[in-house]
Amino acid sequence: MEGKKAPVARKIPKELIKHNDVRIDDYYWMNQKDDQEVLSYLNAENAYYDSLTAHTKEFQESLFLEMKGRIKEDDSSVPYKLNGYWYSTRYEIGGEYPLYSRYKDTLEAPEEVMFNGNKMAKGHDYFSLGGIAISPNNKLAAFGVDTVSRRQYVLQIKNLETGTVYEDKIENTTGGGVWANDNETLFYTRKDPVTLRSDKIYKHKLGTPTSEDILVYHEEDETFSTFIYRTKSKKYLVIGSFSTLTSEFRILPTANPDGEFKIFSPRVRGLEYTIFHYEDSFYILTNKDKAENFKIMKVKEGNTCSENWQEFIPHRENVLLEDIDIFKEYYVLSERENGLNKIRIIRWDGTEDYYLPFQSETYTAYVGSNPDFDTDILRYSYNSLSTPSSVIDFNMRTRDKEIKKEQQVLGGQFNKENYTERRVWATAQDGVKVPISIIHRKDTMLNENTPVLQYAYGSYGSTIDPYFSTVRLSLLDRGFVYAIAHVRGGEYLGRKWYETGKLLYKKNTFTDFIDCSKFLIEEKMTSSDHLYAMGGSAGGLLIGAVINMRPDLYNGVIAAVPFVDVVTTMLDDSIPLTTGEYDEWGNPNEKESYEYMKSYSPYDNVKEQDYPNMLVTTGLHDSQVQYFEPAKWVVKIRELKKNNSVLLFNINMEAGHGGASGRFESLREVAKEYAFLLDLEGKIA
């Protein structure tokens, strides 16, 4: 990887003072997105990337075609039934975006194409269709479109009978809408134009100008966001307000859209709850009364305050309750025990209570879309590291199951019997056991020369379950081992696993990852010359912290859209998401949180030392992690690193946090990442 000289960015020192502590940021000026010098620098980085990777371009293209070749182009989803229609999405050969269709009464009925994503995306570098909301009389569809990739959707309404899209456009929404029973009133969520916080619920009446839309609810607490939905029973409209640690709901009968929403139970800091309606009661999934792993409580419709809640499913020390799905005859619990997904089915009358059987330790099973209330059929999905995804319809009464769809892996090369998957446990520095899910080809020899890609996320209680990936086969079939480190900060081993990986325990996330790496090396599955680390967004923060702490453990790392300038970002409450993140990272306006954050913030802790080979990616329009965080970080590492390792920075000048929007175009970004790894391993051919 030799090429022209790396870009050099101008230093303009800026003093950042907080709690009498002075930080000097030489590259603070890079946050001026429309400044020509900033754009010139980003373009220079892309040119440098192109120069150093020119020898991999043909290989990237062949990787792209290989990965694309495994995917069924004219694929379609399993249809689901709702209010007299069957709904599905399907792709056409050569199409980047799906078609959204429906069929009246039976699947043999003529197809009605509601939206053609390929036609709608024409002329746009980026395209995303937001949530489609069908009116109760099936005649209207509210839908949102984002063509910038900042998750600011323009909401419109389409008449599905005539095909007419009404002229009214509602700017800066979350993309979805919720209809009241009158088929005329649409509720939707708007965002603050600066912070992009979802903070207002509006009501639109069909046939009236959007300028006359009525503000129904304003969430004024900057640490909260708001949303609206309709209960599965269809009886209530629900406004939710949530922060990382606290939630609150307001309810209104769908038959009375002009009425007043009433508070379900007032917010109490640290009390989280979610509500589900059935018959004359609400069921509440909550952490009330120190139920760390959550429990389910019940309350009658009339007086829903928390002092009236009665226990329904008690709290369990070793079982995390993640969700409840309600049907006419049954309710279904999504649980997690010892890291593994469990689906529990219970009859309302108590005559049946059983679990779906799953055997492996490296699988993912989850309840799918079940909008139909009056049915015995539960739809769920199953896959594992080596098993392609299946959509299964399970009859809760007869216990028969029907596989509705198995993910096809085209190309004729894939056989799940060629791969081995397992779970191992590393010991962290404080003695805690950290699970790692691993997959590799059976004919891959495990020794000091084996390349391993170790991946983790580790924030927000978001769990990376072991899942199947057709794309990943391109690494596995070239001799790589893939390892998911289930570090603290996720909820893989229950709520406590999350609580001990956030705020003033955040460093556990980083040291867990390091200890997993050391374990893989000690077990002689690889060595530091062949170990690679990858993470994105908050997982990019993890990568940034880890390479400051133990750069010697890795030959290369990939940091995708990384959150690396923690202190500065968390002090700037005009940046999207910042105020809502205080419960995750801490509030740096408080001295203890400030000092702890500063002690691990990747940008603040870059120092003169050797760094591994690095590929860093971002999108210019990213609303989650602003492009300037990785930009500044790359410049600083380049300035201070002592060795001649490769440091590549690739910026998608058209996209945001999720990268390219097209179904296949996004594979080109993966091909870049894999080519980087395989080039370092000398496996480009």
Side-chain angles (χ1 to χ4, degrees):
M1 289 185 181
E2 290 188 2
K4 62 181 195 175
K5 256 189 142 179
V8 177
R10 206 155 51 103
K11 282 187 172 184
I12 307 175
K14 180 176 177 66
E15 276 195 358
L16 301 169
I17 303 170
K18 192 74 182 177
H19 306 297
N20 297 317
D21 179 57
V22 180
R23 291 178 303 132
I24 305 294
D25 188 347
D26 291 327
Y27 305 108
Y28 187 87
W29 61 274
M30 284 185 156
N31 66 4
Q32 300 303 306
K33 182 175 169 186
D34 298 321
D35 185 280
Q36 195 51 52
E37 187 175 356
V38 172
L39 293 172
S40 296
Y41 166 74
L42 296 177
N43 285 321
E45 281 285 4
N46 275 341
Y48 179 65
Y49 168 84
D50 289 338
S51 152
L52 261 65
T53 59
H55 65 291
T56 72
K57 284 293 186 274
E58 280 186 27
F59 179 66
Q60 284 184 36
E61 184 64 20
S62 67
L63 265 183
F64 165 73
L65 292 172
E66 175 183 302
M67 293 186 289
K68 183 181 177 186
R70 295 194 195 100
I71 298 171
K72 192 173 189 298
E73 284 208 48
D74 53 344
D75 203 2
S76 60
S77 68
V78 180
Y80 65 87
K81 194 169 190 188
L82 180 63
N83 199 22
Y85 279 83
W86 290 91
Y87 290 88
S88 75
T89 57
R90 65 177 176 86
Y91 288 90
E92 295 180 320
I93 290 176
E96 288 281 351
Y97 300 94
L99 281 67
Y100 297 83
S101 301
R102 68 178 185 174
Y103 307 82
K104 187 170 173 50
D105 296 327
T106 74
L107 288 167
E108 284 69 49
E111 179 186 27
E112 298 177 27
V113 177
M114 300 183 295
F115 299 96
N116 184 329
N118 298 305
K119 287 182 180 175
M120 296 171 75
K122 272 190 181 151
H124 301 292
D125 291 316
Y126 177 91
F127 174 80
S128 174
L129 184 64
I132 299 168
I134 309 292
S135 61
N137 64 5
N138 294 315
K139 293 180 179 181
L140 303 169
F143 66 100
V145 170
D146 173 16
T147 55
V148 179
S149 186
R150 276 182 74 77
R151 304 185 185 184
Q152 292 171 284
Y153 288 83
V154 176
L155 189 64
Q156 289 184 269
I157 296 168
K158 181 175 184 176
N159 186 313
L160 296 176
E161 292 186 327
T162 65
T164 304
V165 176
Y166 298 150
E167 287 184 14
D168 282 343
K169 292 185 176 183
I170 305 170
E171 306 276 346
N172 195 27
T173 77
T174 55
V178 180
W179 293 95
N181 283 359
D182 63 2
N183 300 294
E184 291 182 353
T185 309
L186 180 73
F187 293 84
Y188 61 90
T189 310
R190 282 190 109 141
K191 295 186 167 191
D192 181 288
V194 176
T195 66
L196 302 191
R197 180 172 69 91
S198 305
D199 65 341
K200 294 185 180 77
I201 306 292
Y202 278 89
K203 177 169 63 177
H204 173 72
K205 289 282 188 183
L206 217 57
T208 66
T210 55
S211 58
E212 294 177 10
D213 288 0
I214 295 167
L215 177 65
V216 173
Y217 176 66
H218 181 198
E219 177 50 72
E220 296 184 355
D221 187 327
E222 291 182 349
T223 66
F224 279 73
S225 295
T226 189
F227 61 98
I228 185 164
Y229 69 96
R230 187 169 63 172
T231 58
K232 189 172 174 180
S233 67
K234 302 180 182 175
K235 186 173 179 181
Y236 287 97
L237 296 161
V238 182
I239 293 175
S241 290
F242 68 97
S243 70
T244 308
L245 291 177
T246 310
S247 45
E248 179 182 69
F249 291 88
R250 288 167 167 75
I251 57 174
L252 176 69
T254 48
N256 183 24
D258 295 325
E260 293 286 321
F261 281 84
K262 71 163 193 164
I263 292 181
F264 186 89
S265 188
R267 66 187 67 176
V268 175
R269 181 165 170 77
L271 176 65
E272 296 174 64
Y273 71 94
T274 315
I275 61 175
F276 306 84
H277 179 253
Y278 176 68
E279 292 188 340
D280 62 352
S281 299
F282 283 93
Y283 292 80
I284 306 115
L285 179 64
T286 181
N287 66 347
K288 190 174 185 289
D289 309 318
K290 299 182 179 172
E292 187 175 56
N293 276 333
F294 288 75
K295 61 181 177 179
I296 295 176
M297 304 186 80
K298 177 182 177 180
V299 71
K300 292 287 188 188
E301 286 173 325
N303 196 349
T304 56
C305 277
S306 61
E307 59 263 26
N308 299 311
W309 298 355
Q310 302 292 316
E311 197 154 286
F312 183 67
I313 301 279
H315 175 259
R316 287 161 290 171
E317 284 296 321
N318 299 317
V319 179
L320 176 67
L321 253 178
E322 295 187 317
D323 203 1
I324 178 172
D325 280 86
I326 285 175
F327 297 86
K328 186 176 180 181
E329 302 290 340
Y330 299 86
Y331 60 95
V332 178
L333 303 179
S334 296
E335 302 178 348
R336 186 184 293 276
E337 185 173 11
N338 195 30
L340 304 179
N341 305 127
K342 302 181 101 176
I343 298 175
R344 182 181 175 191
I345 297 167
I346 307 171
R347 269 189 86 97
W348 285 109
D349 63 12
T351 57
E352 290 182 276
D353 182 347
Y354 61 95
Y355 287 90
L356 293 180
F358 303 120
Q359 306 306 326
S360 157
E361 279 197 333
T362 48
Y363 72 88
T364 299
Y366 58 91
V367 174
S369 178
N370 289 276
D372 195 359
F373 173 71
D374 189 4
T375 179
D376 291 331
I377 303 297
L378 170 72
R379 178 164 292 172
Y380 73 94
S381 291
Y382 176 89
N383 66 84
S384 78
L385 285 173
S386 69
T387 308
S389 183
S390 294
V391 176
I392 299 160
D393 276 2
F394 179 79
N395 188 309
M396 296 180 280
R397 185 172 42 81
T398 65
R399 304 198 190 185
D400 294 328
K401 71 176 185 181
E402 180 186 357
I403 297 175
K404 301 297 289 185
K405 180 181 179 182
E406 283 185 282
Q407 180 183 2
Q408 289 182 263
V409 184
L410 303 185
Q413 303 294 312
F414 175 73
N415 178 352
K416 69 169 288 188
E417 301 307 320
N418 291 337
Y419 303 87
T420 185
E421 56 184 330
R422 66 188 186 282
R423 185 168 65 162
V424 296
W425 299 76
T427 303
Q429 61 183 29
D430 59 358
V432 169
K433 298 285 188 188
V434 182
I436 311 170
S437 296
I438 290 173
I439 182 170
H440 58 83
R441 280 187 68 98
K442 286 179 179 172
D443 56 9
T444 295
M445 301 291 292
L446 300 186
N447 56 43
E448 290 96 331
N449 297 315
T450 308
V452 173
L453 177 58
Q454 181 182 325
Y455 174 82
Y457 184 70
S459 290
Y460 304 108
S462 178
T463 298
I464 307 298
D465 281 309
Y467 64 97
F468 181 78
S469 162
T470 61
V471 173
R472 190 190 299 137
L473 297 173
S474 292
L475 278 186
L476 301 180
D477 290 349
R478 288 174 173 83
F480 262 78
V481 176
Y482 187 81
I484 302 172
H486 303 289
V487 295
R488 279 174 280 190
E491 272 185 353
Y492 185 80
L493 291 179
R495 181 67 175 208
K496 193 170 186 181
W497 204 242
Y498 171 40
E499 299 290 348
T500 52
K502 64 188 274 200
L503 297 172
L504 298 175
Y505 297 101
K506 188 66 215 167
K507 288 183 188 174
N508 283 336
T509 304
F510 318 138
T511 54
D512 280 0
F513 191 88
I514 288 168
D515 290 330
C516 288
S517 299
K518 287 160 67 177
F519 171 84
L520 296 172
I521 292 169
E522 286 160 7
E523 292 292 308
K524 297 201 166 23
M525 294 173 64
T526 188
S527 63
S528 57
D529 289 338
H530 298 281
L531 180 57
Y532 301 89
M534 181 173 178
S537 194
L541 160 67
L542 162 64
I543 297 301
V546 161
I547 61 169
N548 283 335
M549 295 162 75
R550 286 300 304 270
D552 57 305
L553 285 174
Y554 310 95
N555 186 39
V557 302
I558 298 173
V561 292
F563 173 42
V564 284
D565 191 10
V566 183
V567 180
T568 304
T569 290
M570 292 305 296
L571 280 168
D572 185 352
D573 58 17
S574 73
I575 291 177
L577 303 184
T578 292
T579 54
E581 304 271 291
Y582 289 159
D583 288 333
E584 180 71 24
W585 313 105
N587 183 348
N589 294 299
E590 297 163 3
K591 192 166 189 283
E592 184 183 27
S593 290
Y594 172 88
E595 289 174 348
Y596 187 76
M597 262 182 221
K598 187 186 170 188
S599 73
Y600 69 73
S601 170
Y603 183 62
D604 290 292
N605 288 280
V606 175
K607 49 184 175 283
E608 287 193 31
Q609 62 176 5
D610 290 353
Y611 278 92
N613 299 294
M614 295 176 63
L615 170 63
V616 182
T617 63
T618 193
L620 181 63
H621 301 292
D622 197 329
S623 62
Q624 311 294 105
V625 177
Q626 308 286 316
Y627 73 89
F628 49 81
E629 290 198 37
K632 298 192 312 181
W633 183 52
V634 165
V635 177
K636 193 171 180 181
I637 292 176
R638 242 199 222 120
E639 177 195 350
L640 293 177
K641 78 184 179 77
K642 293 167 67 178
N643 58 340
N644 62 355
S645 59
V646 174
L647 176 50
L648 300 174
F649 184 32
N650 188 224
I651 307 102
N652 187 327
M653 301 298 278
E654 275 84 44
H657 198 62
S661 59
R663 182 186 183 206
F664 296 117
E665 276 308 301
S666 58
L667 294 179
R668 293 192 184 278
E669 299 181 2
V670 182
K672 286 178 179 180
E673 295 168 350
Y674 284 9
F676 169 76
L677 298 172
L678 291 161
D679 190 25
L680 290 171
E681 279 295 309
K683 289 179 179 282
I684 286 192

